Amino acid sequence: MGNSIFQSIRKNKTGILLIMLAAFSTSVGQMLWKMSGHFLDGYFVIGFFLYFCGALLMIVAFRFGDLSVLHPLLSMGYIFSLFLGSIFLGEHMTPFKIIGTCIIFAGAALIGGGDAD
């Protein structure tokens, strides 16, 4: 089983990298929207651009890996958002958020390694 996880990651590595960049880009874009003071200020425009780039990266990523592996990895965006909100917006990390983050990460890791031929 351990070897099959590495085979799956090797098989989908470009797609995994792109989908992780997509999740991070959309998370930063959404954070900038929240930081925006009003419609069409700098934060909003940059956030929109990053969200758009994340969407494009997601589309491209699906060409380099299996949908059943890559799409669930978009859930990493929740983890990125939690840390970005905590660091840049002063949002509080609760024990339940930390436990939830660990569960999301474990699930994404298990799914990402689950399709070796």
Side-chain angles (χ1 to χ4, degrees):
M1 178 174 161
N3 194 28
S4 67
I5 291 173
F6 293 117
Q7 288 174 340
S8 177
I9 292 171
R10 206 170 15 256
K11 174 183 168 188
N12 294 290
K13 71 180 174 185
T14 301
I16 290 170
L17 176 64
L18 291 172
I19 212 76
M20 296 298 280
L21 287 172
F24 184 74
S25 182
T26 56
S27 295
V28 173
Q30 291 171 347
M31 181 192 68
L32 291 174
W33 288 345
K34 184 166 182 168
M35 293 172 64
S36 174
H38 55 83
F39 187 67
L40 294 181
D41 69 358
Y43 285 135
F44 183 85
V45 173
I46 294 168
F48 183 82
F49 177 74
L50 287 172
Y51 195 87
F52 176 76
C53 289
L56 287 179
L57 284 168
M58 179 183 67
I59 292 166
V60 172
F62 290 141
R63 297 184 57 80
F64 294 99
D66 295 336
L67 179 66
S68 62
V69 171
L70 299 180
H71 197 277
L73 292 178
L74 284 172
S75 66
M76 294 300 289
Y78 295 114
I79 295 173
F80 296 141
S81 295
L82 182 71
F83 287 114
L84 290 169
S86 176
I87 294 167
F88 294 105
L89 301 175
E91 296 177 356
H92 297 349
M93 297 269 290
T94 65
F96 285 116
K97 288 180 182 179
I98 293 169
I99 291 168
T101 299
C102 292
I103 291 170
I104 291 170
F105 184 78
L110 291 171
I111 290 172
D115 82 323
D117 291 331

